[in-house]
Amino acid sequence: MSNASLPATIPAVSARGIGKSFHGKRVLDGISLEIEKGQTVCIIGPSGSGKSTFLRCLNRLEIPDEGLSVIDGEPIGYGRRGDHLVELSARGLARQRAHIGMVFQSFNLFPHLTARQNIVEAPRAILGLGREESDARAAELMQRVGLADKLDAYPETLSGGQQQRVAIARALAMQPKVMLFDEPTSALDPEMVDEVLTVIRGLASDGMTMIVVTHEMGFAREVADRVVFMDGGSVVEDGPPREVFTAPRHERTRNFLEKVITKERAAL
Amino acid sequence: MALASSARLADLHALPRVRRPRRLHWIGAVVAIALALYLLAGAALTPGFEWRIVGAYLFEPRILQGVWISVVMTAVTMVLSAILGVLVALLRMSSSVALSALARGFIWVFRAVPMLVQLLFWYNLAALFPRLGLGIPGLPPVLSVDANSVITPLTAAVIGLTLHETAYLAEIFRSGFLAVPRGQREAADALGLTPQRTFLRIVLPQALRIIVPTLGNEVISLLKATSLVSVIALSDLLYTVQLIYASNYQTIPLLVVACIWYMVITGLLSLVQSAVEKRLANRAGRPSRRLVLEESES
């Protein structure tokens, strides 16, 4: 939106001091993360380290107890009034979210709608696209994720990998400024992981700004501009993949990587 | 090794296979047919049923008029209650404590007061409030009408039935809304759909699919509940039948006429329900059972 008026150096995502507790247990301990436009950042870490919660705090699916997420210059969940940030209505928040794509672990396609209907729903409702225009966009996106022949299929009839690719197309249809991926391949059968990773890889090379929470170390090493290792609700390590994977500075990172990589080797 | 040779294995594969005799099916069929014949013969041969009189009254204009009133009352009540039921369910699930308490109170009161009592109460509303109007207590009313002219048996019946049914439907709708996986709402939120759009396009259609069988049940119960309006002298099917047998004393045959009509309408409603369920199932997008389970575990 106000993209052009912002200096080119402003980060696409700027989260500061994000804190969150569930039932008295501190899940996120004041996390700060800035992401440049066009960067792909992979967040890795053991289950329960708060990766997904952090991602969900960025677009306010989870309301953080402290801290603020600013995406593309907009304080998520707030509007600026003079020298205050005032909490937005559900409608105002929806308007901000329209520019942030999200892909879920369990796909969350709408089961009563076809792939095409899943994709055109938001562009029609929010961007006000007409039938022809939105259908054309759906067809183009389905082509891009390699499912041109599945436009009129219901989610139930698609494999997990296909459903996830439709979910990616659905998020892209809103032409988001940032894409958030919450463990996009964790619910997939092993042979379907690659078809989804290929699509995400393609987005990375097209220059999409992305945050990917993932357990796929090979993918992170290959695609990420930056890898963030989280443990116990904080960022432990943050750097280029080569550094994080081959010369981790922290004991905890080393332990985690050893465990994961031994497991990956055993699987081969 | 249980098999002595590969020749014996080949024998096993070559043997013809015979279907197991389904003896219980046959016994069941015989018993069912015998029972049906016994009941039919019993009904036909019992003189008290007076089948000739049943036949004579089955399509009598007054009876048909009564059937019509029962059906229309069911339809009007169901439509009104469905709309109000969704609203009450939404209020009940509201994050505002006051609104939620209001909806809870409504559901409590109108499920608590028996249908029959409510009908009598609404019918006699004029005794409580001789004039109905809008206004603030203590000030002269803005708009005022004679209660007796507004509360006819028909309006009393529709108001009573609708309030009662709304309370039940609100809980049914709520259960449907809760059964839609949370991920569906999250996906809609993440796309930036407004709350209204999310509700109308994503949550409501999936909830309806889940509660169609329960709704079918509810329509059928309501059809029969309309027979209660006979206590406020509204000429529905049952009241019409009562009027007729009060003058010709053919009580049993006329009750049989009423039963036949209730059974016919219920049968038709069941057919409609199956058709709706089938149509929804054919559109493939049943919320998958697996997904619902996954969500409820997390």
Side-chain angles (χ1 to χ4, degrees), chain B residues 178-263:
Chain B
L178 291 177
V180 176
R182 203 180 44 156
Q184 293 290 308
R185 233 162 300 210
E186 288 187 347
D189 284 348
L191 281 170
L193 295 180
T194 59
Q196 291 88 322
R197 181 99 182 177
T198 301
F199 175 72
L200 289 175
R201 294 276 299 164
I202 308 301
V203 177
L204 187 60
Q206 294 187 57
L208 281 180
R209 196 163 298 227
I210 296 167
I211 62 176
V212 162
T214 321
L215 285 182
N217 227 1
E218 215 46 42
V219 179
I220 289 168
S221 304
L222 183 61
L223 168 72
K224 287 173 300 180
T226 59
S227 65
L228 289 174
V229 304
S230 57
V231 297
I232 55 173
L234 178 60
S235 44
D236 74 315
L237 177 55
L238 180 61
Y239 190 67
T240 309
V241 158
Q242 286 174 327
L243 279 183
I244 299 174
Y245 71 61
S247 61
N248 68 5
Y249 304 107
Q250 300 290 355
T251 310
I252 296 294
L254 279 158
L255 285 177
V256 169
V257 167
C259 287
I260 289 174
W261 276 114
Y262 283 121
M263 287 194 291

Side-chain angles (χ1 to χ4, degrees), chain B residues 138-180:
Chain B
L139 296 174
V142 182
L143 191 106
S144 166
V145 287
D146 182 12
N148 270 324
S149 66
V150 182
I151 301 296
T152 61
L154 186 67
T155 46
V158 169
I159 293 172
L161 289 170
T162 299
L163 289 172
H164 181 83
E165 194 57 30
T166 298
Y168 278 92
L169 286 186
E171 287 294 274
I172 292 173
F173 276 115
R174 190 170 67 95
S175 74
F177 298 153
L178 291 177
V180 176

